[in-house]
Amino acid sequence: MTWLNSHPLTFLVFAPTLLGLLLMLLPQTLGRLARMLGFMGALAFFALSLSWLLGHTGSPIVERAPWFTLVGLPVDYALAVDGLNFWLVILTTFLVPLTMLGTWDSLKDRIGTFAGLFLLLETGMLGALMAQDLFFFYLFWEAMLIPMYFMIGVWGGDERRYAANKFFLYTLGGSLLWLVALLYLANKAGGFNPALMGQAASALPFGVQCWLFVAFAVAFAIKVPLFPLHTWLPDAHVQAPTAGSVILAGVLLKLGGYGFLRFAIPMFPSAAMHYAKPIAILSVIAIVYGALVAMVQRDIKKLVAYSSVSHMGFVMLGLASFTVIGTQGAILQMLNHGISTGALFLLVGMIYDRAHTRQIADFGGVAVKMPVFTGFFLVVTLSSIGLPLTNGFVGEFWILNGTFLSGFPWGRLYACLATSGVLLGAVYMLWMFKRVFWGPENKDEHSGTHHLHSDLNAREVAVLLPLVVLIIWMGIHPKTFVAISEAPVTALLAEAKAPAVRTFVLKPAVHEPAAHEAPAGHEAAHEAHAAQPAAHEVH
């Protein structure tokens, strides 16, 4: 117990691997036992992460020791949880057992192997989120590919091999370019410590800093995914089993945004500022393009996949704003997307298990046959489109606010353009909801509606209730989830030396004093207004 208390992060990262390997060694005839052991283990890891991390919200938890030397460069065993990754770590440990429970009956063969791979993936995600040495981070980044590749390629749909290969090649291709930049900069810094590498980068010519930033940015942008590097995502989502889609949307995509926040921007602040506008342009394109393509989809799962492209575009726009409120909005939106889109994929999986189709045209009148399911789907849909009092509204509002108020000359225009993504999101989600749930009941005996004979069971309700509670909680009291990140975000942006945030002052109405009135009050107001020359007036 003493070892666990002194090495909680090591346990959280590697205990899932040990359990996963055990499950993979069990005979396939014990699939149900493997599934139960995997769920109970993942639930225990979530409980431990809550107890350990919530007890250390005031200070970072750090575990660091020398590890080995790579071509003369020291690599440290370095794990940490701080304000930037605190809630992402908890989101990961929360979604893994919830996904296992939500997809309990989805798989019929090789259940133990799948559960083992799922836990190996949890190790990769937690390790990448906690790693504080860049080579250590790179190892976890690549390790995540292997279990997800097999989860898609073995248990996926009809085109699973194509989708798995595309996912693997895209991510690996971007990572190889990034590895070259890593090794180059590590040689300059004498190691893979991010702080030392950042200092070494600042001493390099600005052109070299830009090339290094681009190498980092491409690898992270593929994972986000940012337009036009997004094309692997819809294929992977559609072909992946439900559990793979949930964890892909819920956690894996966040590692791209987290990579920008943790490494790319702090290590190359000047280059990041230089490329803020191109990143913002691609983000706005992703927001609008993802929404427009989602609007014409016939497959519900593919619609949700393209909505992820749009929503993650908001995350990147918030980071490109280089404002505290925009960056905080991006962090909150990553959490929001993990909850809401993860819930959407779970819901789509639940109806697919019953109807064996995801085509919108195959449904209609689902609300009559599955009223409880319809209620949950409606709440998550409203969250996805950013209805006030839900989590989606707060994150998008902060991002748009931060972009609009940023010191960049393009901030107002891009914020206005991105707002169209909110409107389009309401169009494609509500239109889909209307056709599937409130449209005329599809009487065809081969339709999806015809195969719906039961509403949600107690297990499925137990999976969805915590997600709905979080949707409302994060919408009403977002400070719970962003208070811990405010200080590190403020320090990060101070290093980046972003342009001053625009401020808006309402100019008081001019009061013409009567002849007998002293003009002192008017003069005082005029002097107070004149004392703020940097403010942008709104008349």
Side-chain angles (χ1 to χ4, degrees):
M1 195 64 185
T2 303
W3 184 91
L4 288 181
N5 291 331
S6 58
H7 299 86
L9 303 186
T10 298
F11 180 83
L12 280 179
V13 170
F14 293 105
T17 291
L18 296 177
L19 178 58
L21 292 175
L22 174 64
L23 298 183
M24 293 172 73
L25 292 174
L26 288 177
Q28 295 302 320
T29 53
L30 299 177
R32 291 183 177 275
L33 174 63
R35 182 168 53 197
M36 178 60 73
L37 290 174
F39 168 69
M40 296 302 293
L43 190 62
F45 302 147
F46 169 60
L48 289 172
S49 70
L50 277 182
S51 63
W52 283 332
L53 300 185
L54 290 179
H56 293 80
T57 53
S59 58
I61 307 175
V62 181
E63 296 178 16
R64 179 182 292 274
W67 192 16
F68 68 93
T69 301
L70 177 71
V71 291
L73 301 173
V75 176
D76 288 341
Y77 178 91
L79 299 171
V81 172
D82 59 11
L84 293 182
N85 62 3
F86 180 89
W87 284 111
L88 288 172
V89 169
I90 291 181
L91 175 68
T92 303
T93 60
F94 169 70
L95 283 181
V96 169
L98 205 68
T99 303
M100 286 184 166
L101 187 62
T103 59
W104 195 261
D105 295 323
S106 296
L107 298 177
K108 305 301 181 184
D109 63 321
R110 289 174 283 188
I111 299 172
T113 303
F114 185 88
L117 287 172
F118 204 60
L119 290 168
L120 291 177
L121 180 61
E122 183 176 13
T123 284
M125 295 184 296
L126 290 174
L129 285 170
M130 296 185 200
Q132 301 299 303
D133 179 280
L134 265 164
F135 191 78
F136 199 30
F137 176 80
Y138 180 82
L139 293 178
F140 284 115
W141 181 272
E142 298 291 24
M144 290 186 297
L145 286 178
I146 300 170
M148 182 56 76
Y149 173 82
F150 285 110
M151 288 165 64
I152 298 173
V154 176
W155 289 272
D158 294 338
E159 299 180 13
R160 57 186 179 273
R161 293 178 182 173
Y162 168 77
N165 288 333
K166 193 173 183 180
F167 161 73
F168 190 88
L169 292 174
Y170 257 78
T171 309
L172 184 63
S175 299
L176 291 177
L177 176 64
W178 174 39
L179 179 61
V180 173
L182 268 182
L183 294 174
Y184 173 84
L185 190 55
N187 273 287
K188 297 290 184 182
F192 292 92
N193 184 295
L196 296 178
M197 294 176 78
Q199 293 175 7
S202 65
L204 296 172
F206 182 68
V208 177
Q209 293 182 43
C210 288
W211 280 108
L212 292 171
F213 174 79
V214 167
F216 276 64
V218 167
F220 298 147
I222 289 173
K223 188 74 80 177
V224 168
L226 185 64
F227 179 92
L229 304 171
H230 69 284
T231 58
W232 64 269
L233 181 67
D235 292 318
H237 267 315
V238 171
Q239 297 304 318
T242 300
S245 294
V246 174
I247 215 68
L248 184 60
V251 182
L252 280 182
L253 304 189
K254 312 302 172 292
L255 284 160
Y258 174 76
F260 276 98
L261 192 64
R262 171 68 73 183
F263 299 117
I265 294 175
M267 289 174 61
F268 312 100
S270 299
M273 288 290 299
H274 179 71
Y275 284 106
K277 184 176 181 179
I279 292 174
I281 291 173
L282 295 178
S283 301
V284 172
I285 293 174
I287 290 168
V288 178
Y289 168 83
L292 289 174
V293 177
M295 200 181 299
V296 298
Q297 295 306 312
R298 300 177 180 179
D299 184 308
I300 304 175
K301 197 174 187 184
K302 202 163 191 177
L303 183 151
V304 178
Y306 274 105
S307 78
S308 284
V309 176
S310 184
H311 289 152
M312 291 304 293
F314 276 104
V315 172
M316 291 307 302
L317 182 63
L319 295 178
S321 73
F322 282 89
T323 60
V324 173
I325 189 171
T327 306
Q328 287 281 75
I331 293 173
L332 184 62
Q333 188 66 5
M334 286 195 281
L335 299 174
N336 293 340
H337 183 263
I339 296 297
S340 300
T341 306
L344 280 175
F345 279 119
L346 279 170
L347 287 161
V348 172
M350 289 171 185
I351 199 170
Y352 178 77
D353 288 343
R354 290 167 167 81
H356 306 293
T357 179
R358 296 188 300 261
Q359 297 299 308
I360 294 174
D362 287 338
F363 294 100
V366 173
V368 176
K369 291 202 167 187
M370 301 180 68
V372 177
F373 177 81
T374 302
F376 277 111
F377 208 111
L378 178 60
V379 172
V380 178
T381 295
L382 295 176
S383 163
S384 181
I385 67 177
L387 184 78
L389 299 183
T390 67
N391 55 351
F393 171 78
V394 182
E396 291 177 355
F397 180 77
W398 285 0
I399 289 167
L400 294 172
N401 193 10
T403 304
F404 191 87
L405 296 177
S406 69
F408 296 110
W410 43 262
R412 296 183 185 182
L413 174 62
Y414 291 3
C416 293
L417 293 174
T419 303
S420 65
V422 180
L423 301 177
L424 293 172
V427 171
Y428 66 74
M429 288 299 296
L430 294 179
W431 189 31
M432 177 271 292
F433 190 86
K434 174 183 177 295
R435 288 179 288 168
V436 171
F437 294 91
W438 290 335
E441 184 175 344
N442 194 328
K443 300 291 187 179
D444 189 335
E445 63 178 9
H446 300 296
S447 71
T449 307
H450 181 76
H451 291 89
L452 300 178
H453 303 300
S454 62
D455 209 337
L456 297 182
N457 56 40
R459 171 183 58 81
E460 292 167 326
V461 171
V463 168
L464 295 171
L465 271 178
L467 295 170
V468 170
V469 169
L470 284 171
I471 284 171
I472 303 302
W473 184 5
M474 297 170 78
I476 294 176
H477 199 266
K479 186 177 180 181
T480 304
F481 302 91
V482 295
I484 195 171
S485 59
E486 184 172 357
V489 164
T490 303
L492 183 152
L493 295 179
E495 287 290 325
K497 299 178 181 177
V501 175
R502 299 173 188 267
T503 56
F504 294 85
V505 178
L506 293 175
K507 187 174 182 179
V510 176
H511 171 66
E512 297 292 341
H516 63 277
E517 291 178 343
H522 174 72
E523 292 172 359
H526 177 74
E527 290 172 4
H529 180 68
Q532 303 179 53
H536 295 258
E537 297 179 358
V538 178
H539 300 277

Coordinates of all heavy atoms in Angstrom, one line a residue, residues 355-357 359 361-363 442-451:
A355 N -31.7 -2.8 -34.1 CA -32.3 -2.7 -35.5 C -31.3 -3.3 -36.5 O -31.8 -3.5 -37.7 CB -32.6 -1.3 -35.8
H356 N -30.1 -3.4 -36.2 CA -29.0 -3.8 -37.2 C -28.9 -2.9 -38.4 O -28.6 -3.4 -39.5 CB -29.3 -5.3 -37.6 CG -29.4 -6.2 -36.4 ND1 -28.3 -6.5 -35.6 CD2 -30.5 -6.9 -35.9 CE1 -28.7 -7.3 -34.6 NE2 -30.0 -7.5 -34.8
T357 N -29.2 -1.7 -38.2 CA -29.1 -0.7 -39.3 C -28.9 0.7 -38.7 O -29.3 0.9 -37.5 CB -30.3 -0.6 -40.2 OG1 -30.1 0.4 -41.2 CG2 -31.6 -0.3 -39.5
Q359 N -29.1 3.5 -41.0 CA -29.6 4.4 -42.0 C -30.8 5.2 -41.5 O -31.7 4.6 -41.0 CB -30.0 3.6 -43.3 CG -28.8 2.8 -43.9 CD -27.7 3.8 -44.4 OE1 -28.0 4.7 -45.1 NE2 -26.5 3.5 -44.0
A361 N -33.1 6.6 -43.2 CA -34.3 6.2 -43.9 C -34.9 5.0 -43.4 O -36.1 4.7 -43.7 CB -34.0 6.1 -45.4
D362 N -34.2 4.1 -42.7 CA -34.8 2.9 -42.1 C -35.6 3.1 -40.8 O -36.1 2.1 -40.3 CB -33.7 1.9 -41.9 CG -33.1 1.3 -43.2 OD1 -33.8 1.4 -44.2 OD2 -31.9 0.8 -43.2
F363 N -35.6 4.3 -40.3 CA -36.3 4.6 -39.1 C -37.5 5.5 -39.3 O -37.8 5.9 -40.4 CB -35.3 5.2 -38.0 CG -34.3 4.2 -37.6 CD1 -33.0 4.3 -38.1 CD2 -34.5 3.2 -36.7 CE1 -32.0 3.4 -37.7 CE2 -33.6 2.3 -36.3 CZ -32.3 2.4 -36.8
N442 N -42.1 3.9 -39.8 CA -41.7 3.1 -41.0 C -42.3 1.7 -40.8 O -41.9 0.9 -39.9 CB -40.2 3.0 -41.1 CG -39.8 2.4 -42.4 OD1 -40.4 1.6 -43.0 ND2 -38.6 2.9 -42.9
K443 N -43.4 1.4 -41.6 CA -44.1 0.2 -41.5 C -43.5 -1.0 -42.2 O -43.9 -2.2 -42.1 CB -45.5 0.4 -42.0 CG -46.3 1.5 -41.3 CD -46.7 1.1 -39.9 CE -47.6 2.1 -39.3 NZ -48.0 1.8 -37.9
D444 N -42.4 -0.8 -43.0 CA -41.8 -1.8 -43.7 C -41.3 -2.9 -42.8 O -40.6 -2.6 -41.8 CB -40.6 -1.2 -44.6 CG -40.1 -2.2 -45.5 OD1 -40.2 -3.5 -45.3 OD2 -39.5 -1.8 -46.6
E445 N -41.5 -4.2 -43.1 CA -41.1 -5.2 -42.2 C -39.6 -5.4 -42.1 O -39.1 -6.1 -41.3 CB -41.8 -6.6 -42.6 CG -41.4 -7.0 -44.0 CD -42.0 -8.4 -44.3 OE1 -42.9 -8.8 -43.6 OE2 -41.6 -9.0 -45.3
H446 N -38.9 -4.8 -43.1 CA -37.4 -4.9 -43.1 C -36.8 -3.6 -42.6 O -35.6 -3.5 -42.6 CB -36.9 -5.1 -44.6 CG -37.4 -6.4 -45.2 ND1 -37.1 -7.6 -44.7 CD2 -38.3 -6.6 -46.2 CE1 -37.7 -8.6 -45.4 NE2 -38.4 -8.0 -46.4
S447 N -37.6 -2.7 -42.1 CA -37.1 -1.4 -41.6 C -36.5 -1.6 -40.2 O -36.7 -2.6 -39.5 CB -38.2 -0.4 -41.5 OG -39.1 -0.7 -40.5
G448 N -35.7 -0.6 -39.8 CA -35.1 -0.6 -38.5 C -36.2 -0.5 -37.4 O -36.1 -1.1 -36.4
T449 N -37.2 0.4 -37.6 CA -38.2 0.6 -36.6 C -39.0 -0.7 -36.3 O -39.4 -1.0 -35.2 CB -39.2 1.6 -37.1 OG1 -38.5 2.8 -37.4 CG2 -40.2 2.0 -36.0
H450 N -39.1 -1.6 -37.4 CA -39.9 -2.8 -37.2 C -39.2 -3.8 -36.2 O -39.8 -4.6 -35.6 CB -40.0 -3.5 -38.6 CG -40.8 -4.8 -38.5 ND1 -42.2 -4.8 -38.4 CD2 -40.4 -6.1 -38.6 CE1 -42.6 -6.1 -38.4 NE2 -41.5 -6.9 -38.5
H451 N -37.9 -3.6 -36.1 CA -37.1 -4.5 -35.3 C -36.9 -4.0 -33.8 O -36.2 -4.6 -33.0 CB -35.7 -4.8 -35.9 CG -35.7 -5.6 -37.1 ND1 -35.9 -5.0 -38.4 CD2 -35.7 -6.9 -37.3 CE1 -35.9 -6.0 -39.3 NE2 -35.8 -7.1 -38.7

